């Protein structure tokens, strides 16, 4: 063996082997969160499919059924900030596992109901409380704890999970309701929620320090904070502090209009409104599922944009375009599906919850470590707006015989939301960095 060869072998022996680049644990936690939200999304898909079957079987007015959906949506929002604080106190896994169990119980019990108050109790109260604990505050908490970089992108991906669940469950639940009635659909929702519980318990982790890791993009290890006692007191304290600031009211007001024009309006009333114009329920539900397809793309893209552009301007564009789309919707509803309706569905899907990543970014910019709880309160306003339109939309249908006035009013509200987003003041960069 030559001297040159021996020297090369010696050098190779002294050189430590290269470690393969591993995927950061934060991405696995984000994946678990994504799948969890998908599994829990079944309950978000069902309300619009229940209105006509419950009206026909029990004779309840659409306003009565809309009131139960309204209670569900309101609690979905009002529970979220307390859930964020409970996650700081007891951990993400415990809160999410209990929430999924409550959803399963509430949805399962509806199969035996015979009176409207039972619908309000099971679907309104129990599913509302459970779903509120699984709201976007869950995604915000995971993003804030596990990521320092790519927060906009991750918040967009996790927000898109709900749309992905809608895509999966809406056609299935619609077919189930049409072929077998609404009760098997309610049982399907309960089973979907229960199926996710072991997945959460075994694979989800509360904090990077639990596995000896740093948050993604963090320059150094971050110790796990001690449990924060007094969840309710802290949640209310953060609220009382936030309401004294202008950005909170602008974010809450614009996000209330976001909820009114999505969950409260389209998700709850699009299927019965399309059916009023002769469109089959399964076709209308499939169109909503297509909204979910493009919602995934739009929300992830919005997260990418949020990492690169000013969130206020993004929000203004999103709300303005949504308002224009709603003004055209009454002219598009017809017995069949035609190209302008497909364009509306694609456009509305891209814009559906694209508002979430920039709203989250503005909460982080202005409220720092309390941003998850502040966003929970902003989300509460989102759901209050959704609840009002879910109820008033049903009442308007009973009074006027159509949904036209609701579409036009919601379009005007979206224009107001665009203006509110533009007047949110920018925080000085040094203060924003310190808060984050």
């Amino acid at each position: 063996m030559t001297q040159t060869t021996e020297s090369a072998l010696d050098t190779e022996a002294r050189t430590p082997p290269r470690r393969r680049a591993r995927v950061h644990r934060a991405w696995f936690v984000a994946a678990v969160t994504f799948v969890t939200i998908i599994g829990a999304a079944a309950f978000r898909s069902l309300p619009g499919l229940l209105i006509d079957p419950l009206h026909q079987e029990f004779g309840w007015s659409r306003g009565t059924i809309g009131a139960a959906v309204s209670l569900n949506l309101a609690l979905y929002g009002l529970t979220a900030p307390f859930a964020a604080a409970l996650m700081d106190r007891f951990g993400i896994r415990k809160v999410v596992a209990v929430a999924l169990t409550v959803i399963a119980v509430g949805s399962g019990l509806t199969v035996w109901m015979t009176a409207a108050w039972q619908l309000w109790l099971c679907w309104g109260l129990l599913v509302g409380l459970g779903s509120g604990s699984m709201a976007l505050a869950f995604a915000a908490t995971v993003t804030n704890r596990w990521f320092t970089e790519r927060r906009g992108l991750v918040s967009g991906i996790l927000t898109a999970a709900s749309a992905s669940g809608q895509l999966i469950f809406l056609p299935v639940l619609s077919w189930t309701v049409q072929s077998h009635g609404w009760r098997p659909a309610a049982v399907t929702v309960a089973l979907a929620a229960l199926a996710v519980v072991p997945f959460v318990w075994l694979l989800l982790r509360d904090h990077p320090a639990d596995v000896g890791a740093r948050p993604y993009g963090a320059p150094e290890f971050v110790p796990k904070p001690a449990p924060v006692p007094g969840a309710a007191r802290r949640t209310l304290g953060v609220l009382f502090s936030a309401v004294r600031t202008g950005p909170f009211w602008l974010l809450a007001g614009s996000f209330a209009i976001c909820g009114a024009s999505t969950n409260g309006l389209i998700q709850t009333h699009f299927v019965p409104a399309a059916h009023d114009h002769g469109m089959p329920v399964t076709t209308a539900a499939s169109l909503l599922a297509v909204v979910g397809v493009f919602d995934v793309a739009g929300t992830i893209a919005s997260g990418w944009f949020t990492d690169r552009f000013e969130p206020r301007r993004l929000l203004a564009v999103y709300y303005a375009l949504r308002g224009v789309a709603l003004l055209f919707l009454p002219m598009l509803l017809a017995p069949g599906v035609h190209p302008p309706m497909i364009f509306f569905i694609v456009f509305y899907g891209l814009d559906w919850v694209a508002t979430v990543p920039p709203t989250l970014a503005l909460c982080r910019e202005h409220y720092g470590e309390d941003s998850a709880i502040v966003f929970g309160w902003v989300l509460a306003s989102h759901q209050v707006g959704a609840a009002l339109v879910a109820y008033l939309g049903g009442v308007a249908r009973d009074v006027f015989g159509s949904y036209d006035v609701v579409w036009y009013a919601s379009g005007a509200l979206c224009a107001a939301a665009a203006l509110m987003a533009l007047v949110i003041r920018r925080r000085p960069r040094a203060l924003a960095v310190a808060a984050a």
Side-chain angles (χ1 to χ4, degrees):
M1 183 179 295
T2 66
Q3 184 175 359
T4 303
T5 304
E6 291 177 353
S7 177
L9 291 174
D10 290 341
T11 302
E12 184 178 350
R14 291 193 301 269
T15 302
R18 291 185 178 181
R19 296 181 63 185
R20 293 183 178 180
R22 295 188 301 173
V23 177
H24 195 283
R25 182 63 180 266
W27 293 108
F28 288 103
V29 172
V32 172
T33 305
F34 185 90
V35 175
T36 302
I37 296 174
I38 286 178
F43 60 81
R44 307 300 309 148
S45 305
L46 195 56
L49 303 177
L50 290 179
I51 293 177
D52 283 338
L54 294 180
H55 173 70
Q56 292 170 7
E57 179 172 339
F58 297 105
W60 301 335
S61 70
R62 289 174 175 83
T64 298
I65 300 168
V69 177
S70 177
L71 176 60
N72 175 291
L73 293 172
L75 288 176
Y76 177 90
L78 294 173
T79 305
F82 294 95
L86 287 172
M87 289 177 187
D88 289 340
R89 175 67 178 88
F90 298 106
I92 298 173
R93 287 195 304 168
K94 293 179 181 178
V95 173
V96 173
V98 171
L100 288 167
T101 304
V102 171
I103 290 169
V105 171
S107 182
L109 288 176
T110 58
V111 301
W112 290 289
M113 67 182 179
T114 56
W117 68 265
Q118 295 166 346
L119 176 66
W120 298 335
L121 173 64
C122 295
W123 197 261
L125 180 63
L126 293 179
V127 177
L129 289 174
S131 61
S133 301
M134 283 290 302
L136 292 175
F138 169 39
T141 301
V142 170
T143 303
N144 288 349
R145 289 187 182 184
W146 282 89
F147 291 86
T148 299
E149 296 180 354
R150 304 289 188 270
R151 281 178 168 174
L153 176 62
V154 174
S155 62
I157 293 172
L158 296 183
T159 302
S162 180
S164 300
Q166 176 175 291
L167 165 66
I168 293 169
F169 286 107
L170 249 179
V172 174
L173 294 176
S174 174
W175 175 84
T176 302
V177 170
Q178 289 293 298
S179 303
H180 304 286
W182 63 269
R183 288 180 176 83
V187 172
T188 300
V189 171
L191 293 178
L194 281 179
V196 181
V197 173
F199 187 75
V200 168
W201 192 256
L202 294 175
L203 299 179
L204 194 63
R205 292 295 179 267
D206 293 330
H207 195 277
D210 290 340
V211 293
R214 296 177 297 178
Y216 180 82
E220 57 187 17
F221 181 80
V222 177
K224 183 177 181 178
V228 181
R233 183 172 62 252
R234 184 188 175 208
T235 303
L236 294 174
V238 170
L239 173 64
F240 292 148
S241 176
V243 296
R244 294 195 292 269
T245 65
F248 174 82
W249 290 106
L250 293 169
L251 288 168
S254 60
F255 219 44
I257 295 171
C258 178
S261 55
T262 52
N263 301 86
L265 181 62
I266 298 296
Q267 190 165 23
T268 303
H269 294 293
F270 178 81
V271 172
H275 189 55
D276 283 347
H277 287 77
M279 184 180 293
V281 171
T282 51
T283 302
S286 297
L287 289 177
L288 271 187
V290 174
V291 168
V293 175
F294 288 94
D295 184 14
V296 174
T299 308
I300 294 175
S302 178
W304 188 86
F305 290 143
T306 301
D307 287 331
R308 290 160 175 80
F309 301 104
E310 188 179 340
R312 299 180 311 138
R313 299 188 185 278
L314 290 176
L315 283 178
V317 171
Y318 296 157
Y319 286 126
L321 293 176
R322 183 183 300 178
V324 172
L326 285 173
L327 293 178
F328 280 98
L329 181 57
M331 295 178 280
L332 303 179
L333 292 171
V337 179
H338 47 84
M341 173 58 77
I342 295 175
F343 179 81
F344 171 85
I345 292 297
V346 172
F347 180 84
Y348 216 82
L350 291 172
D351 192 61
W352 183 266
V353 287
T355 55
V356 173
T359 301
L360 265 171
L362 288 169
C363 285
R364 280 194 296 266
E365 177 183 328
H366 287 275
Y367 303 105
E369 62 182 13
D370 290 329
S371 61
I373 296 177
V374 172
F375 179 72
W377 284 113
V378 172
L379 178 63
S381 71
H382 180 282
Q383 295 308 117
V384 169
L388 285 173
V389 172
Y391 171 66
L392 294 176
V395 172
R397 171 61 178 79
D398 290 335
V399 172
F400 299 107
S402 77
Y403 286 100
D404 287 357
V405 66
V406 185
W407 307 131
Y408 295 135
S410 297
L413 286 174
C414 287
L419 293 175
M420 294 169 72
L422 285 176
V423 300
I424 297 174
R425 63 177 176 82
R426 298 186 64 181
R427 193 169 190 187
R429 183 174 178 81
L431 293 176
V433 172

